[in-house]
Amino acid sequence: METYKGKSVFGGIAIGKLHIYNKKNLQVKRKHIETEEIEREVERFHKAREDAIAQLVELYEKSISSVGTSNAAIFEIHQMMLQDDDYIESTENMIQTQQVNAEYAVAMTSDNFASMFAAMEDDYMKGRAADVRDISERVLLILTGQESDCIDTEEPVIVVADDLAPSETVQMDKSKVLSFVTVHGSTNSHTAILARTMGIPALIGTPIPLEDSINGKLAIVDGDTGQIYVEPDEETFAMMQEKYKVIQTKKELLQTLKGKETVTLDGRRIMLYANIGNYKDLSLVLENDAEGIGLFRSEFLYLEGDTYPTEEEQLKIYRAVAETMAGKRVIIRTLDIGADKQADYFELPKEENPAMGCRAIRICLTRPEVFKTQLRALFRASAFGKIAIMYPMITSLSEITKIKNIVEEVKQELTEAGVPFGNPEQGIMIETPAAVIISDQLAKEVDFFSIGTNDLTQYTLAIDRQNAQLDEFYDPHHQAILRMIATTVENAHKANIWCGICGELGADPELSKLFLSIGIDELSMSPGNLLFIRKIIRETNILEEGEAIRKQFL
Amino acid sequence: MKEFNYVITDAEGIHARPAGELVKKAKEYISSISIIKEGKKADAKKLFGVMGLGVKQGMEITVQVEGEDEETAAAAMETFLKENL
């Protein structure tokens, strides 16, 4: 057994034979041509270019149904590139002035434009260098009378390649591909995007030798750990097969529950939302059929860089999330940094007890400029979708008053500057015992509550969740916590606002029925848990089961 | 010659697909059409040139139109930008 480790771009298990994807030999030789041959070479170039466009038209039509319009769009862009005057003129020019063969002229033009794109600052534009090479290879294959590699095996295979051009991945017969494994490539490459769309495991940056000797060998790709096992031993094989089965069962469940309503047998609807920590997780949100985003942790914006993210940078992300969710609610939690999440440039003083120190809303209120930048971006982004703002770590009414004053300033500044903004809902996290106890008062001041059970548990039970030695004292279903949740929901409803849970307990299948019976309005959790919880909700009848469950837990 | 400025509002900037459509639009007119960004000038009828400008969201571009149909061409380009970028 040989094991190689790459970087996973999509999880899951694939078991099958390896297929080494060979690029055709496109070594182009420079040939000198005579003056009377120039016209013929230019003709050859145009004929090949037109054939390439015809191929692309066909590929575009074919791939719309197999991979969707947005993935197929690449073939439309490639057509446009092949029709570009600069590209055509540059190639013609080279044939005419340097008296070279069409192949060489295409290869040189390709190199020139690819380097132009590769040198650009913008990552998106950098990536277009691959497109230029791709269209040129297509023309070159036609000029040299070759066809691109196709998967001609009967069985679906694990495709292994040095790197895959966008058109190569899209034109592969999808029913024959179990997984993509490449030696190079990036997480934003088309291969990665396509793997996510297809929902198949894929690895990039995998140091696997592309030798003919491994072609056809049995292998297993573990997209969760980023490993590929070539000729796995019995033990690994059995283990992976087990893992594969578990994933399959989940997938089947997912299929049956996708698109179904989250409603109990007696007709109560629950908003089933997803928690995400990065806009890159959006694909998981859509894939698992979340009805909205219940907790979008904005920290990654602050933790990724080494300086404060600008208003524009934040706006771009918030807007993209809101637009992707297309009218579904997106609850963005304002900066929750401090405690275990630190960024050096904040220069937070060392604290004896960071969990109870300067974190979350406390930082925002002591550094209003940082807070205002985020609020401006959030209010502006609200013009593009249904954004809701959620403030973390609230303990008192005076904090709400301070937040409201700052929000007013932000709105006024935006109005004065003539910058358009929306009117987002504003709610708070209930994650301190103090907030629970005064939740009747807080409910009158905000649009919604979301209970953060992780911190609420740690602050209520005085137990550090990271400390494994305390496990025997830790009861996640402690009555104190469950009663606090019930109180919070009750107080929210008295003030006619909705109340949800975005902590880990929200996804605890043993508590789903309890939450339903106390009237929770929303549950937000990691995307992977959504469909399982939807299943439980759809099998619950609150009218019949509610009372017994409340008695059991509260 | 007609000239106008426009600030890109699309989050992705002038990326491949709208660039392609912009070029298509520009080619409908006889007038020569150029796009200028920070002193860099590109022929609006050439895709690689337009993409090569690397125009991103929030950037201001200047569009110059010169030729017999410049009135209609300039108006059409402005409408196109407003609708797509």
Side-chain angles (χ1 to χ4, degrees), chain A residues 408-428:
Chain A
E408 276 318 305
E409 280 174 40
V410 164
K411 282 162 99 172
Q412 202 168 345
E413 283 165 19
L414 288 172
T415 311
E416 277 164 17
V419 180
F421 61 94
N423 186 23
E425 283 176 285
Q426 294 176 73
I428 56 171

PDB file of all heavy atoms in Angstrom, chain A residues 408-428:
ATOM      1  N   GLU A 408     -27.312  54.551  15.029  1.00  0.00           N
ATOM      2  CA  GLU A 408     -27.902  55.799  14.542  1.00  0.00           C
ATOM      3  C   GLU A 408     -26.860  56.669  13.858  1.00  0.00           C
ATOM      4  O   GLU A 408     -27.113  57.243  12.800  1.00  0.00           O
ATOM      5  CB  GLU A 408     -28.572  56.574  15.694  1.00  0.00           C
ATOM      6  CG  GLU A 408     -29.988  56.119  15.988  1.00  0.00           C
ATOM      7  CD  GLU A 408     -30.841  55.859  14.746  1.00  0.00           C
ATOM      8  OE1 GLU A 408     -30.964  56.778  13.911  1.00  0.00           O
ATOM      9  OE2 GLU A 408     -31.356  54.734  14.592  1.00  0.00           O
ATOM     10  N   GLU A 409     -25.673  56.759  14.480  1.00  0.00           N
ATOM     11  CA  GLU A 409     -24.592  57.555  13.877  1.00  0.00           C
ATOM     12  C   GLU A 409     -24.241  57.016  12.501  1.00  0.00           C
ATOM     13  O   GLU A 409     -24.062  57.770  11.541  1.00  0.00           O
ATOM     14  CB  GLU A 409     -23.331  57.485  14.755  1.00  0.00           C
ATOM     15  CG  GLU A 409     -23.341  58.407  15.963  1.00  0.00           C
ATOM     16  CD  GLU A 409     -22.118  58.161  16.858  1.00  0.00           C
ATOM     17  OE1 GLU A 409     -21.009  57.945  16.314  1.00  0.00           O
ATOM     18  OE2 GLU A 409     -22.285  58.153  18.089  1.00  0.00           O
ATOM     19  N   VAL A 410     -24.125  55.682  12.420  1.00  0.00           N
ATOM     20  CA  VAL A 410     -23.760  55.045  11.152  1.00  0.00           C
ATOM     21  C   VAL A 410     -24.806  55.362  10.079  1.00  0.00           C
ATOM     22  O   VAL A 410     -24.470  55.751   8.957  1.00  0.00           O
ATOM     23  CB  VAL A 410     -23.625  53.514  11.352  1.00  0.00           C
ATOM     24  CG1 VAL A 410     -23.630  52.780  10.018  1.00  0.00           C
ATOM     25  CG2 VAL A 410     -22.353  53.196  12.119  1.00  0.00           C
ATOM     26  N   LYS A 411     -26.068  55.238  10.442  1.00  0.00           N
ATOM     27  CA  LYS A 411     -27.129  55.484   9.470  1.00  0.00           C
ATOM     28  C   LYS A 411     -27.114  56.928   8.994  1.00  0.00           C
ATOM     29  O   LYS A 411     -27.304  57.219   7.819  1.00  0.00           O
ATOM     30  CB  LYS A 411     -28.500  55.142  10.072  1.00  0.00           C
ATOM     31  CG  LYS A 411     -28.781  53.649  10.093  1.00  0.00           C
ATOM     32  CD  LYS A 411     -29.876  53.301  11.049  1.00  0.00           C
ATOM     33  CE  LYS A 411     -31.222  53.102  10.433  1.00  0.00           C
ATOM     34  NZ  LYS A 411     -32.196  52.575  11.417  1.00  0.00           N
ATOM     35  N   GLN A 412     -26.876  57.821   9.950  1.00  0.00           N
ATOM     36  CA  GLN A 412     -26.843  59.237   9.596  1.00  0.00           C
ATOM     37  C   GLN A 412     -25.684  59.547   8.652  1.00  0.00           C
ATOM     38  O   GLN A 412     -25.844  60.254   7.662  1.00  0.00           O
ATOM     39  CB  GLN A 412     -26.723  60.069  10.870  1.00  0.00           C
ATOM     40  CG  GLN A 412     -27.208  61.494  10.652  1.00  0.00           C
ATOM     41  CD  GLN A 412     -27.364  62.222  11.976  1.00  0.00           C
ATOM     42  OE1 GLN A 412     -27.384  61.599  13.050  1.00  0.00           O
ATOM     43  NE2 GLN A 412     -27.478  63.522  11.924  1.00  0.00           N
ATOM     44  N   GLU A 413     -24.521  58.969   8.971  1.00  0.00           N
ATOM     45  CA  GLU A 413     -23.352  59.193   8.118  1.00  0.00           C
ATOM     46  C   GLU A 413     -23.596  58.670   6.704  1.00  0.00           C
ATOM     47  O   GLU A 413     -23.223  59.314   5.718  1.00  0.00           O
ATOM     48  CB  GLU A 413     -22.122  58.488   8.711  1.00  0.00           C
ATOM     49  CG  GLU A 413     -21.513  59.236   9.899  1.00  0.00           C
ATOM     50  CD  GLU A 413     -20.549  58.380  10.692  1.00  0.00           C
ATOM     51  OE1 GLU A 413     -20.070  57.359  10.165  1.00  0.00           O
ATOM     52  OE2 GLU A 413     -20.289  58.731  11.861  1.00  0.00           O
ATOM     53  N   LEU A 414     -24.222  57.496   6.625  1.00  0.00           N
ATOM     54  CA  LEU A 414     -24.494  56.925   5.304  1.00  0.00           C
ATOM     55  C   LEU A 414     -25.487  57.792   4.538  1.00  0.00           C
ATOM     56  O   LEU A 414     -25.332  58.036   3.349  1.00  0.00           O
ATOM     57  CB  LEU A 414     -25.024  55.493   5.433  1.00  0.00           C
ATOM     58  CG  LEU A 414     -24.011  54.431   5.865  1.00  0.00           C
ATOM     59  CD1 LEU A 414     -24.711  53.105   6.146  1.00  0.00           C
ATOM     60  CD2 LEU A 414     -22.930  54.222   4.810  1.00  0.00           C
ATOM     61  N   THR A 415     -26.500  58.270   5.246  1.00  0.00           N
ATOM     62  CA  THR A 415     -27.502  59.123   4.609  1.00  0.00           C
ATOM     63  C   THR A 415     -26.853  60.399   4.085  1.00  0.00           C
ATOM     64  O   THR A 415     -27.086  60.800   2.942  1.00  0.00           O
ATOM     65  CB  THR A 415     -28.607  59.492   5.616  1.00  0.00           C
ATOM     66  OG1 THR A 415     -29.038  58.308   6.265  1.00  0.00           O
ATOM     67  CG2 THR A 415     -29.792  60.146   4.920  1.00  0.00           C
ATOM     68  N   GLU A 416     -26.014  60.999   4.930  1.00  0.00           N
ATOM     69  CA  GLU A 416     -25.357  62.251   4.525  1.00  0.00           C
ATOM     70  C   GLU A 416     -24.457  62.047   3.319  1.00  0.00           C
ATOM     71  O   GLU A 416     -24.348  62.901   2.452  1.00  0.00           O
ATOM     72  CB  GLU A 416     -24.536  62.822   5.696  1.00  0.00           C
ATOM     73  CG  GLU A 416     -25.397  63.618   6.659  1.00  0.00           C
ATOM     74  CD  GLU A 416     -24.699  63.853   7.997  1.00  0.00           C
ATOM     75  OE1 GLU A 416     -23.470  63.694   8.068  1.00  0.00           O
ATOM     76  OE2 GLU A 416     -25.422  64.180   8.966  1.00  0.00           O
ATOM     77  N   ALA A 417     -23.801  60.893   3.274  1.00  0.00           N
ATOM     78  CA  ALA A 417     -22.884  60.618   2.161  1.00  0.00           C
ATOM     79  C   ALA A 417     -23.644  60.143   0.922  1.00  0.00           C
ATOM     80  O   ALA A 417     -23.046  59.908  -0.129  1.00  0.00           O
ATOM     81  CB  ALA A 417     -21.850  59.586   2.586  1.00  0.00           C
ATOM     82  N   GLY A 418     -24.962  59.954   1.058  1.00  0.00           N
ATOM     83  CA  GLY A 418     -25.753  59.510  -0.084  1.00  0.00           C
ATOM     84  C   GLY A 418     -25.491  58.059  -0.470  1.00  0.00           C
ATOM     85  O   GLY A 418     -25.702  57.655  -1.608  1.00  0.00           O
ATOM     86  N   VAL A 419     -24.993  57.270   0.499  1.00  0.00           N
ATOM     87  CA  VAL A 419     -24.718  55.859   0.221  1.00  0.00           C
ATOM     88  C   VAL A 419     -25.970  55.041   0.549  1.00  0.00           C
ATOM     89  O   VAL A 419     -26.493  55.136   1.650  1.00  0.00           O
ATOM     90  CB  VAL A 419     -23.532  55.360   1.087  1.00  0.00           C
ATOM     91  CG1 VAL A 419     -23.245  53.891   0.809  1.00  0.00           C
ATOM     92  CG2 VAL A 419     -22.306  56.211   0.841  1.00  0.00           C
ATOM     93  N   PRO A 420     -26.439  54.248  -0.417  1.00  0.00           N
ATOM     94  CA  PRO A 420     -27.652  53.474  -0.148  1.00  0.00           C
ATOM     95  C   PRO A 420     -27.431  52.368   0.888  1.00  0.00           C
ATOM     96  O   PRO A 420     -26.366  51.763   0.934  1.00  0.00           O
ATOM     97  CB  PRO A 420     -27.997  52.860  -1.510  1.00  0.00           C
ATOM     98  CG  PRO A 420     -26.760  52.922  -2.315  1.00  0.00           C
ATOM     99  CD  PRO A 420     -25.943  54.060  -1.785  1.00  0.00           C
ATOM    100  N   PHE A 421     -28.421  52.161   1.745  1.00  0.00           N
ATOM    101  CA  PHE A 421     -28.337  51.055   2.709  1.00  0.00           C
ATOM    102  C   PHE A 421     -29.722  50.511   3.009  1.00  0.00           C
ATOM    103  O   PHE A 421     -30.733  51.154   2.722  1.00  0.00           O
ATOM    104  CB  PHE A 421     -27.628  51.492   4.007  1.00  0.00           C
ATOM    105  CG  PHE A 421     -28.312  52.609   4.764  1.00  0.00           C
ATOM    106  CD1 PHE A 421     -29.209  52.321   5.786  1.00  0.00           C
ATOM    107  CD2 PHE A 421     -28.039  53.934   4.467  1.00  0.00           C
ATOM    108  CE1 PHE A 421     -29.829  53.343   6.492  1.00  0.00           C
ATOM    109  CE2 PHE A 421     -28.660  54.965   5.164  1.00  0.00           C
ATOM    110  CZ  PHE A 421     -29.557  54.675   6.188  1.00  0.00           C
ATOM    111  N   GLY A 422     -29.746  49.311   3.555  1.00  0.00           N
ATOM    112  CA  GLY A 422     -31.023  48.664   3.849  1.00  0.00           C
ATOM    113  C   GLY A 422     -31.400  48.820   5.303  1.00  0.00           C
ATOM    114  O   GLY A 422     -30.772  49.573   6.049  1.00  0.00           O
ATOM    115  N   ASN A 423     -32.438  48.088   5.691  1.00  0.00           N
ATOM    116  CA  ASN A 423     -32.913  48.196   7.055  1.00  0.00           C
ATOM    117  C   ASN A 423     -32.943  46.797   7.681  1.00  0.00           C
ATOM    118  O   ASN A 423     -33.987  46.171   7.769  1.00  0.00           O
ATOM    119  CB  ASN A 423     -34.309  48.833   7.042  1.00  0.00           C
ATOM    120  CG  ASN A 423     -34.801  49.104   8.447  1.00  0.00           C
ATOM    121  OD1 ASN A 423     -33.997  49.228   9.385  1.00  0.00           O
ATOM    122  ND2 ASN A 423     -36.106  49.156   8.615  1.00  0.00           N
ATOM    123  N   PRO A 424     -31.775  46.316   8.103  1.00  0.00           N
ATOM    124  CA  PRO A 424     -31.692  44.928   8.589  1.00  0.00           C
ATOM    125  C   PRO A 424     -32.378  44.747   9.940  1.00  0.00           C
ATOM    126  O   PRO A 424     -32.470  45.681  10.724  1.00  0.00           O
ATOM    127  CB  PRO A 424     -30.193  44.697   8.732  1.00  0.00           C
ATOM    128  CG  PRO A 424     -29.621  46.061   8.966  1.00  0.00           C
ATOM    129  CD  PRO A 424     -30.480  47.007   8.194  1.00  0.00           C
ATOM    130  N   GLU A 425     -32.844  43.528  10.181  1.00  0.00           N
ATOM    131  CA  GLU A 425     -33.322  43.183  11.522  1.00  0.00           C
ATOM    132  C   GLU A 425     -32.102  43.192  12.436  1.00  0.00           C
ATOM    133  O   GLU A 425     -30.998  42.864  12.011  1.00  0.00           O
ATOM    134  CB  GLU A 425     -33.843  41.747  11.532  1.00  0.00           C
ATOM    135  CG  GLU A 425     -35.196  41.519  10.922  1.00  0.00           C
ATOM    136  CD  GLU A 425     -35.489  40.022  10.930  1.00  0.00           C
ATOM    137  OE1 GLU A 425     -34.902  39.296  10.100  1.00  0.00           O
ATOM    138  OE2 GLU A 425     -36.288  39.580  11.772  1.00  0.00           O
ATOM    139  N   GLN A 426     -32.314  43.540  13.711  1.00  0.00           N
ATOM    140  CA  GLN A 426     -31.193  43.513  14.650  1.00  0.00           C
ATOM    141  C   GLN A 426     -31.597  42.718  15.888  1.00  0.00           C
ATOM    142  O   GLN A 426     -32.619  42.997  16.507  1.00  0.00           O
ATOM    143  CB  GLN A 426     -30.797  44.929  15.053  1.00  0.00           C
ATOM    144  CG  GLN A 426     -30.228  45.742  13.891  1.00  0.00           C
ATOM    145  CD  GLN A 426     -29.945  47.175  14.297  1.00  0.00           C
ATOM    146  OE1 GLN A 426     -29.001  47.429  15.013  1.00  0.00           O
ATOM    147  NE2 GLN A 426     -30.788  48.083  13.854  1.00  0.00           N
ATOM    148  N   GLY A 427     -30.766  41.721  16.178  1.00  0.00           N
ATOM    149  CA  GLY A 427     -31.068  40.872  17.325  1.00  0.00           C
ATOM    150  C   GLY A 427     -29.831  40.648  18.169  1.00  0.00           C
ATOM    151  O   GLY A 427     -28.756  41.173  17.869  1.00  0.00           O
ATOM    152  N   ILE A 428     -30.002  39.897  19.249  1.00  0.00           N
ATOM    153  CA  ILE A 428     -28.857  39.653  20.125  1.00  0.00           C
ATOM    154  C   ILE A 428     -28.706  38.170  20.421  1.00  0.00           C
ATOM    155  O   ILE A 428     -29.654  37.397  20.317  1.00  0.00           O
ATOM    156  CB  ILE A 428     -28.981  40.414  21.465  1.00  0.00           C
ATOM    157  CG1 ILE A 428     -30.293  40.044  22.170  1.00  0.00           C
ATOM    158  CG2 ILE A 428     -28.876  41.908  21.245  1.00  0.00           C
ATOM    159  CD1 ILE A 428     -30.373  40.585  23.591  1.00  0.00           C
TER     160      ILE A 428
END
